[in-house]
Structures are given as C-alpha cells and as structure tokens.
Amino acid sequence: MRRLFVPLLFAVCLVSPALPSGPPEQDVASRILVKLRQLDLLNQILPVLLTKEQLGKLLPVIEKAREASKATERIELDELKKLEPKVDSDLKDAKEKGLVTAKEKTTEYLRVLAALRKVREIMVNEQLETVLKAVEETLDEGQIKAATNSIQNAGDKESKVTDRDKLRRWVGAVLLDPLAYDLLLELKKKGG
C-alpha cells in the first residue's frame, strides 16, 4: 500500500491546480503564501544583480523551459484521462462493493505513473541543463558566485557539492520556479 502512495501523490500534484479551491480562508492563505514565495525568490535573485541585457538573454531560454513543462503537463493529462474510466470503475467498486482493486490494475496504474514521472524527469533535466548553460554564458564570475552561495544546504560541505551543482540547484529552485518568470519580467522592465 505504501508503494502506491508516493506515485498517487505525484498524480494528485499533477492535477491539484485544476482542483476547485477551498473556503475563502484557504484562498487568502494561498495568496499570502504566494507572496511569501515571491519574496523568497526575489531574495535569491536580487543579490545576483542581473542586468536588463542579461535578463533579455535569459528570459527566452526560461520561456522555452516553461513551454516544455506545459507540453509535458498536456501529455500527463492525456495519459491520466485515459486511466480515468478504469479508476472510476475501481473507485465505484471499492466504495459500493467493498472490493479491493486487482493487483494487475494497481500495477498498470503504477506503470503509467512511473512512465509519466520518467518523461517529466527527462524534460526537467534537459531544460535545467539548457538554462544552466545560458546562465553560465550570460553571468559574470561574481554573479555566478552570488547565485551559487544563494541557496545553502546543511550537508553541502560534508558531501563536497561542486559550485556547478550549487548553480544548477539555484537555476532549478529559483529561475525555473513558476513564480519567478513574472518577477524576472518585472525586473527587466525596471532595468535589472
């Protein structure tokens, strides 16, 4: 049962933006959490001192990564829609008849979720490398140092994480965060 939880949690995360919102208090909390995340992102971006010209070079690369992510989401949704009738049937049987889903069906669901996860993992790694390369070609040494030092993990010194790994982490966690793109656009409009 535990093996099923993580892939199913993955599937829920894929479709959670499409779920109806909760009570008004939850909407207020979500709005505040978005603002806090934006503030956190700016705290990671601003010390790098990106110029308007640098943002002009990076934004198109980041936009391509965003498009690749949206294309992957469409693939995921199509595959999940194909599963839905079977899942609905199994859910109905479980609720109304107390039947446990057949192992073959559970295996099929896990196989589809694993395939989706693999496709997403490949896309994320490809896009991350593309944006990382653009960052390395666009930023100067001091800016790269500021970015690599922006996000610290407790185990970095013990595991001897390279500066490139730290920069890669910054690109993935900051520049490719869905909320970062609009912030970067705003910074570009203001001149960096």
Side-chain angles (χ1 to χ4, degrees):
M1 183 66 171
R2 185 171 180 206
R3 289 178 49 221
L4 182 61
F5 177 74
V6 172
L8 288 180
L9 180 61
F10 170 74
V12 170
C13 290
L14 289 176
V15 297
S16 62
L19 297 175
S21 62
E25 303 85 27
Q26 188 175 0
D27 291 341
V28 171
S30 294
R31 185 183 74 237
I32 296 167
L33 289 172
V34 165
K35 289 178 182 179
L36 284 168
R37 180 61 184 150
Q38 288 173 326
L39 185 60
D40 181 47
L41 287 168
L42 287 169
N43 288 337
Q44 306 301 319
I45 294 168
L46 292 175
V48 179
L49 304 174
L50 296 166
T51 66
K52 184 176 184 174
E53 293 75 25
Q54 289 172 325
L55 288 166
K57 291 178 182 178
L58 293 175
L59 281 166
V61 180
I62 295 169
E63 179 58 32
K64 285 182 183 176
R66 289 164 45 96
E67 288 302 319
S69 180
K70 289 175 188 173
T72 301
E73 288 171 8
R74 288 189 293 272
I75 291 168
E76 292 165 344
L77 182 58
D78 289 345
E79 290 302 313
L80 291 171
K81 283 181 178 178
K82 291 176 190 174
L83 276 186
E84 189 174 28
K86 293 177 185 179
V87 172
D88 286 345
S89 175
D90 289 340
L91 190 57
K92 181 179 178 185
D93 287 347
K95 287 179 177 179
E96 294 177 6
K97 300 175 185 174
L99 297 176
V100 174
T101 306
K103 185 175 182 177
E104 298 81 27
K105 286 186 176 184
T106 302
T107 302
E108 176 189 356
Y109 300 155
L110 291 174
R111 182 185 50 74
V112 169
L113 293 174
L116 292 176
R117 189 172 46 251
K118 185 69 175 169
V119 167
R120 175 162 289 279
E121 183 179 299
I122 290 168
M123 180 276 302
V124 166
N125 286 329
E126 287 174 355
Q127 298 309 313
L128 186 53
E129 279 303 313
T130 300
V131 176
L132 176 60
K133 183 179 177 192
V135 165
E136 291 173 324
E137 293 171 354
T138 305
L139 275 58
D140 66 34
E141 190 178 313
Q143 290 172 306
I144 289 175
K145 186 75 170 167
T148 60
N149 290 329
S150 176
I151 302 174
Q152 298 293 324
N153 282 352
D156 281 355
K157 289 182 182 177
E158 294 80 29
S159 63
K160 299 185 181 179
V161 176
T162 67
D163 283 347
R164 188 164 199 275
D165 289 337
K166 291 177 186 178
L167 184 61
R168 187 176 204 273
R169 180 172 51 208
W170 180 79
V171 168
V174 177
L175 293 185
L176 293 177
D177 185 290
L179 294 175
Y181 187 77
D182 290 335
L183 295 171
L184 293 169
L185 282 174
E186 287 180 48
L187 289 174
K188 183 178 182 235
K189 286 178 186 173
K190 291 181 179 179

